Structure formats: C-alpha cells, structure tokens
Amino acid sequence: SQKNDFKENIHSNGSCQQLPQTIIIGVRKGGTRALLEMLSLHPDIAAAESEVHFFDWEDHYRNGLQWYINQMPFSYPHQITVEKTPAYFTSPKVPERVYNMNKSMRLLLILRDPSERVLSDYTQVFYNHLQKHKPYPSIEQFLIKDGELNVDYKAINRSLYYIHMQNWLKYFPLDHIHIVDGDKLIKDPFPEIEKVERFLKLSPQINASNFYFNKTKGFYCLRDSGRERCLHESKGRAHPQVDTRLLEKLQEYFHEPNKKFFELVGRTFDWHT
Ligand code: A3P
C-alpha cells in the first residue's frame, strides 16, 4: 500500500519542496524537454530536472508521496512546481494515480505528428544502443512484418494518441489537459509557450526575445538574461530515411486513429494522414 503522509521539506531561506501542481505527461519524443526548458524561462516555474517516473514505476510509486516530494526542486510558495515524465501518457495506471493525488491537477501534453514520432522513437532507441556499442536492427525490421506494416511495433502503439487520451479523460476533464502542438513548438515556439502561460494562469513574462533560431542546430535555442543555450545534442537528431511507400503506409495507418483523436479533443492538428 502507498504511504500518503508527507511533509513539505522547508529550507532556512523560506523555500520548500512542493508536490507538482502541473505535470508534463508526454508524449515520448513529442518535445517534452524543449517544453520544460522553455517553460522554465518563467520566474514562477520551478522544474524538476530529471524524469521522476513516480506514477509509472512500481518501485517508485510504492515509496509514497514523501519520496515524490523529495524529488522536487526547492521553490517559493508563489511558484508552480512542474515535473515531466513522458512515459506517463501511455501508462494505463497513471491517470488514476495522478487523480488520487490531486483531482485538480493541470496536465500538459505535447504531441507531434504520429509518424514522425515513430521515427524519433526509433532514433532514440537506436542511439541508446549505439552508446552501449550494441547493434540495433534497421527501422524497416521493426516497421515491416510478413510484407505488411507491423502494427505490433511499440513505437506505433505509442502514437495511437486517442487510446491513451481516453484513459486520461476517464479522470480529468478536457479543460485540465492542455495540448501543446509539438510541430509548432519546433517551428515557432513563442506562441505555443504563451498559450501554456495562459493555461497555467501565469503572468505573461516569457518574451519572443527569449527565443532565437540557431542555424547550425536547425532549431530554436533559448536566451535567458543574456545567456544563450540550445538543447542537448540528443534533441533534434536526424531520423532514418524510410522508403516513401512505407512512410505513406504508416501515415495512412494513422488516418483513422488521428480522426478519432481530433473528435475526442475537439481540435485538429496538421499531421500527415
Ligand atoms: P528529434 O530529436 O527526433 O528531432 P523529447 O524531449 O520529448 O524527447 O522530444 C525530443 C524532440 O524535441 C526532438 O526530436 C525535437 O524534434 C523536438 N524539439 C522541439 N523543440 C526543440 C528545440 N528547440 N531544440 C531541439 N529539439 C526540439
């Protein structure tokens, strides 16, 4: 059973560790790190640096809320604490667990074109293997089975957004789940971040001048009190070249699921279908 008694550890300077009032729940490879970093430009945001995996890893969840709070950054009472764990979105047990902690939690979900997300997901695992000097099959070996699209591929399942979204909507109303358009966040981050500020009822403090396009990186980078920085080199990697026919098959496969998702959230996205 879960231990639910906890205290907010207090520092002598008046800051303390607080449970998050908002969580970036995913999706894996949607741009979750970019969203967290950009949101952190706001002075009223205190972000947990690493992925916490409290609600999805049994070893962590069993430790209870005191453990969870201990993972949080020290913050001042007016600040909003945020953590991001992209695996939450696709973990069936997580919505109920988050609800049990805080029914009025405001959730952030960043989504991206489902086919592109599959390629990004593959690329991530490919590099994880490369780092460990382990061989990894080509993307075609995952995408094709008996000459057909292999719909059992985990990365494809994670891109079936409506299935995962349904689990969340059992516990949270739609107006408590703000969806960030991950494709737009790449191309023009500021308007997407402004919407997040409004959703979290933060004062508008992030500016267009906090973002600049870095030609070498090919992505927007951040400018914060004169200091400039880009995301880690593992963010914004080239994806494998996939045969056009196969890519079209993948995109066609997502056509119906995407439609269902659009109906579920009452909004459309510019995804290839
Ligand atoms: P790719 O590396 O496949 O292009 P996550 O942080 O959820 O793992 O998402 C990683 C993705 O964030 C990257 O996927 C990249 O496309 C996207 N992204 C969005 N804004 C970015 C930025 N400003 N710099 C780097 N990557 C960014």
Side-chain angles (χ1 to χ4, degrees):
S1 75
Q2 216 216 6
K3 304 177 206 94
N4 265 330
D5 46 325
F6 63 93
K7 57 180 194 321
E8 297 187 338
N9 306 333
I10 300 170
H11 196 269
S12 55
N13 66 8
S15 67
C16 69
Q17 285 167 298
Q18 308 181 68
L19 287 175
Q21 293 97 327
T22 183
I23 303 177
I24 298 173
I25 58 174
V27 64
R28 176 180 154 94
K29 303 321 291 174
T32 55
R33 177 59 62 182
L35 177 58
L36 187 77
E37 297 280 320
M38 290 171 181
L39 194 54
S40 298
L41 292 166
H42 200 290
D44 297 348
I45 289 287
E49 271 310 304
S50 46
E51 295 177 7
V52 182
H53 286 282
F54 175 63
F55 297 103
D56 63 324
W57 287 1
E58 296 307 318
D59 287 2
H60 287 170
Y61 191 65
R62 216 179 290 131
N63 294 332
L65 291 179
Q66 185 66 60
W67 182 89
Y68 192 37
I69 221 168
N70 291 347
Q71 313 310 308
M72 295 303 144
F74 277 85
S75 62
Y76 292 96
H78 70 277
Q79 289 184 306
I80 292 181
T81 297
V82 55
E83 75 119 328
K84 78 115 174 161
T85 302
Y88 288 164
F89 180 57
T90 54
S91 307
K93 283 184 181 171
V94 172
E96 184 179 12
R97 290 177 172 185
V98 174
Y99 177 86
N100 287 340
M101 181 183 83
N102 181 355
K103 294 176 183 35
S104 52
M105 180 68 83
R106 294 186 156 254
L107 304 163
L108 294 171
L109 171 64
I110 178 162
L111 297 178
R112 176 180 189 188
D113 184 300
S115 312
E116 201 60 39
R117 202 215 65 81
V118 170
L119 304 187
S120 179
D121 198 324
Y122 167 85
T123 306
Q124 163 89 55
V125 187
F126 171 85
Y127 276 100
N128 289 349
H129 280 71
L130 193 71
Q131 257 182 352
K132 295 176 192 155
H133 307 286
K134 283 190 193 164
Y136 197 62
S138 71
I139 184 146
E140 286 78 12
Q141 285 174 271
F142 289 99
L143 285 179
I144 309 167
K145 198 170 147 190
D146 306 326
E148 293 294 321
L149 188 69
N150 174 24
V151 297
D152 295 330
Y153 180 31
K154 247 192 185 162
I156 292 188
N157 181 277
R158 290 193 194 104
S159 282
L160 296 175
Y161 300 148
Y162 82 98
I163 293 183
H164 310 295
M165 193 66 180
Q166 277 171 342
N167 292 334
W168 286 91
L169 289 174
K170 282 179 203 153
Y171 294 92
F172 294 95
L174 197 53
D175 64 357
H176 274 225
I177 311 174
H178 177 74
I179 306 171
V180 177
D181 185 325
D183 301 297
K184 286 191 178 156
L185 192 91
I186 292 174
K187 288 188 216 115
D188 189 13
F190 179 53
E192 282 305 302
I193 293 299
E194 276 188 299
K195 288 176 206 158
V196 177
E197 276 184 332
R198 284 198 288 271
F199 172 70
L200 296 177
K201 299 188 167 68
L202 290 164
S203 57
Q205 297 217 43
I206 303 175
N207 293 302
S209 62
N210 286 123
F211 305 93
Y212 71 97
F213 189 77
N214 183 306
K215 275 190 194 153
T216 318
K217 171 115 182 140
F219 283 84
Y220 274 88
C221 297
L222 311 181
R223 191 184 288 119
D224 195 3
S225 18
R227 279 191 315 118
E228 295 185 343
R229 65 194 168 87
C230 298
L231 261 63
H232 187 258
E233 60 180 16
S234 65
K235 305 295 178 184
R237 284 182 295 217
H239 296 168
Q241 282 287 327
V242 177
D243 171 73
T244 318
R245 274 298 305 139
L246 183 57
L247 186 61
E248 281 171 2
K249 249 191 190 171
L250 185 63
Q251 292 169 345
E252 276 164 29
Y253 175 74
F254 285 122
H255 182 76
E256 278 305 311
N258 287 351
K259 240 173 78 180
K260 284 187 188 166
F261 180 76
F262 297 162
E263 279 163 21
L264 203 58
V265 300
R267 180 179 162 189
T268 60
F269 291 81
D270 296 329
W271 297 334
H272 293 98
T273 48

